[in-house]
Amino acid sequence: MWCLVLLVSAVHVVLIVHSGEWTFVSAVLAALWIILIGLSLAGWLMHRQAAMRKLKALDAMRASLAFEESGVTMTSPLGSTHLVWAALEQVRVHERFWIVATAANSYFTLPLEGAPPAALDFARAKLGGRLS
């Protein structure tokens, strides 16, 4: 997408310069395109850099989950959160992992490797009909 916008902008500027119809309005539009692309790219790069810093801050990218009577507590080096059982809208069960949906476009993956069977049975009992 970025390459396409940059290509269209470059072609626009080249055509204006080549045709000799360089006006004040054309110069302002070209400058605005360059500023828009530059600011958008800078914002994306800063967002990506911050996300990568947070990922590197995770200790071996591990988090722990604790199934409790009131809900699920997730803890990682970046912090912790507690989700009540009612907040887990749907859980898709696969052989090696669960996909847990907490909202329309919000989910996390729960790997089952090394999970105690008793803890998974407890979670299944609490989730009831939300397992699929």
Side-chain angles (χ1 to χ4, degrees):
M1 180 71 172
W2 285 108
C3 292
L4 181 63
V5 170
L6 190 59
L7 179 67
V8 168
S9 300
V11 168
H12 178 251
V13 170
V14 167
L15 288 176
I16 289 173
V17 169
H18 182 69
S19 68
E21 295 181 23
W22 193 259
T23 65
F24 177 76
V25 174
S26 298
V28 169
L29 287 176
L32 286 176
W33 269 110
I34 292 169
I35 291 170
L36 176 67
I37 291 170
L39 287 176
S40 299
L41 185 60
W44 178 79
L45 287 173
M46 289 188 317
H47 175 72
R48 182 182 180 277
Q49 192 174 40
M52 295 306 289
R53 255 193 323 270
K54 288 181 181 179
L55 282 175
K56 287 179 183 178
L58 287 173
D59 183 27
M61 298 186 132
R62 294 186 184 260
S64 64
L65 272 76
F67 296 129
E68 302 166 351
E69 194 64 37
S70 60
V72 180
T73 301
M74 293 181 282
T75 307
S76 77
L78 294 179
S80 66
T81 187
H82 181 78
L83 296 171
V84 295
W85 291 109
L88 307 178
E89 292 184 0
Q90 184 182 16
V91 179
R92 294 193 180 250
V93 178
H94 297 274
E95 185 178 326
R96 297 181 346 168
F97 59 91
W98 288 356
I99 300 174
V100 182
T102 57
N105 290 318
S106 177
Y107 61 90
F108 62 92
T109 304
L110 174 62
L112 301 179
E113 183 179 331
L120 295 177
D121 291 340
F122 177 75
R124 283 185 187 99
K126 286 293 188 179
L127 291 167
R130 290 174 281 180
L131 293 170
S132 63

